[in-house]
Amino acid sequence: MIVIVLHDTCTSAQRQQVLSAVQFAGSGLRVHTPHLVSLAGDRDRVVAVLDGMPQVREVTSLPAGYPRAARLAGRAATTPVWVSDVEIGGPGFTVIAGPCSVENRHQMLTTAREVRASGAHAIRAGAFKPRTSPYAFQGLGEAGLGLLAEARERTGLPLVTEVVDVRDVERVAQTVDMVQIGARNMQNYALLQEAGRLRMPVLLKRGLAATVDEWLLAAEYVLDGGNEQVVLCERGIRTFESGYRFTLDLAAVLVLKERTHLPVIVDPSHAAGTRGRVLPLALAAAAVGADGIIVETHHDPAAALCDAAQALPTSDLPELMRRLVPAAQSAGRGLRRAPGERTLTSVSGG
Ligand code: PEP
Ligand code: MN
């Protein structure tokens, strides 16, 4: 796909001039925003017909059709997404932590309190769970949303939860601050379109067998709906390796940073499969340049109803937060300030 980026100062008459010039230079001409036009065809031909037009800032060829998700020259490398008052993709590394699923009031509130005490920035927990087995715990559903709301009330931290069904999108969106689309639903196009109608952050996890470009095309569905607040989450892919749950593809973080302006976070938990591997993978994610992590934690992991083996005890969170500081700094950033603190935390204490 060829993308034409117009200067911010471009008038509608100048844009019309561009559209007229390229209409026979390719096919599928589309105006995405007043400054972003795409078409299929040959880049050299498009460049030739636009020759000398000062309103054209850039003509780029994309590996796949995601003009809105693409990182374009002259634009910010990353467009931050704000989850309530927590920024993802800004100068600070962001930590989202919480149990795999909401299980009961005591578990949710205890774990949430510990997450907050550790200095993590947002809470995750699933009320609706996409389980591989139909006989596994499916989540508390609506009741879980109520407990999540209570956890936010008590901690002041924003909430991230998964939606698995288009029928629940509105209800979930009313309760939480960021809607997660899970790996198994990355190519559920009806759900992506519904998420595109929202005007709130969406966390889009990578499908178990999705390429980076397929993942960016999935993000494009949400963006094309007019919802520009998309964060990508690498959570491990299925490979021939059976020594651990999924293969955490940290190189994908680098490739995404080349191809997209959307913030990228990493979920070390689902790839690790066991808790001992979570902290090192989280540090690796920070060191490779991810914008944050989303990590599973539980106040009593042995009792967890879902993903127990990979749940980090909440008592390990302070160490994780401490060790993320130099890891994030090695990639040139501080750890985002803890809620209530005023500055970024860095090794030097600045
Ligand atoms: C989860 O975050 O609990 C989850 C189900 O993740 P994924 O969709 O990556 O498997
Ligand atoms: Mn889980």
Side-chain angles (χ1 to χ4, degrees):
M1 174 181 277
I2 313 296
V3 174
I4 303 165
V5 185
L6 303 173
H7 281 292
D8 291 344
T9 51
C10 175
T11 63
S12 56
Q14 285 178 312
R15 183 170 51 254
Q16 200 48 54
Q17 188 190 13
V18 168
L19 298 178
S20 307
V22 298
Q23 63 178 324
F24 300 116
S27 59
L29 184 62
R30 236 176 236 272
V31 180
H32 300 275
T33 71
H35 305 110
L36 189 64
V37 174
S38 74
L39 72 166
D42 176 58
R43 181 177 177 276
D44 290 343
R45 187 150 174 239
V46 172
V47 169
V49 299
L50 294 176
D51 189 35
M53 290 191 191
Q55 66 270 48
V56 175
R57 184 158 76 188
E58 185 195 345
V59 181
T60 305
S61 181
L62 299 178
Y66 43 76
R68 285 172 177 264
R71 179 178 174 179
L72 298 167
R75 297 271 174 90
T78 305
T79 305
V81 168
W82 287 87
V83 182
S84 183
D85 57 351
V86 172
E87 185 183 32
I88 304 179
F93 187 82
T94 306
V95 180
I96 304 167
C100 179
S101 51
V102 186
E103 297 169 3
N104 56 64
R105 188 163 182 268
H106 175 70
Q107 170 254 9
M108 192 58 232
L109 298 184
T110 309
T111 303
R113 190 182 62 224
E114 298 284 309
V115 167
R116 156 89 205 198
S118 75
H121 312 104
I123 295 173
R124 63 142 290 150
F128 299 93
K129 296 305 301 179
R131 302 306 301 277
T132 302
S133 163
Y135 307 119
F137 174 58
Q138 304 285 314
L140 296 182
E142 289 267 338
L145 292 180
L147 295 176
L148 274 169
E150 199 176 341
R152 179 176 48 196
E153 223 172 271
R154 292 191 174 217
T155 61
L157 296 186
L159 301 171
V160 184
T161 204
E162 179 164 355
V163 64
V164 298
D165 188 318
V166 284
R167 292 168 296 189
D168 299 325
V169 170
E170 222 172 285
R171 176 80 181 87
V172 168
Q174 278 164 6
T175 308
V176 301
D177 304 281
M178 179 181 229
V179 170
Q180 175 177 324
I181 294 183
R184 289 156 190 82
N185 274 315
M186 190 206 83
Q187 286 177 314
N188 179 337
Y189 297 113
L191 194 56
L192 294 171
Q193 279 168 336
E194 207 56 37
R197 286 188 197 103
L198 297 173
R199 293 295 175 267
M200 66 182 291
V202 171
L203 182 64
L204 181 61
K205 298 189 94 176
R206 183 182 189 175
L208 310 189
T211 65
V212 165
D213 284 341
E214 285 164 347
W215 187 9
L216 288 173
L217 285 166
E220 190 77 12
Y221 268 88
V222 181
L223 299 167
D224 187 47
N227 186 355
E228 297 180 346
Q229 303 170 73
V230 179
V231 174
L232 302 165
C233 177
E234 162 62 33
R235 46 80 71 207
I237 50 174
R238 180 59 53 75
T239 68
F240 57 81
E241 182 53 66
S242 58
Y244 36 80
R245 198 172 175 197
F246 294 97
T247 301
L248 191 64
D249 184 10
L250 291 179
V253 175
L254 300 173
V255 175
L256 287 166
K257 289 288 171 193
E258 293 162 11
R259 294 188 189 175
T260 182
H261 63 94
L262 302 176
V264 183
I265 69 170
V266 169
D267 167 357
S269 306
H270 289 86
T274 59
R275 68 181 58 89
R277 301 174 188 141
V278 172
L279 187 144
L281 291 175
L283 301 184
V288 86
D291 295 299
I293 53 168
I294 181 166
V295 63
E296 289 193 347
T297 184
H298 196 287
H299 79 289
D300 181 10
L305 295 180
C306 181
D307 287 347
Q310 71 199 30
L312 215 54
T314 46
S315 54
D316 283 3
L317 286 180
E319 184 192 351
L320 172 68
M321 297 302 287
R322 207 166 42 244
R323 293 181 64 185
L324 279 169
V325 174
Q329 202 168 55
S330 75
R333 70 206 313 169
L335 189 62
R336 190 185 157 71
R337 65 183 164 72
E341 272 179 34
R342 285 183 41 241
T343 53
L344 294 179
T345 310
S346 69
V347 169
S348 58

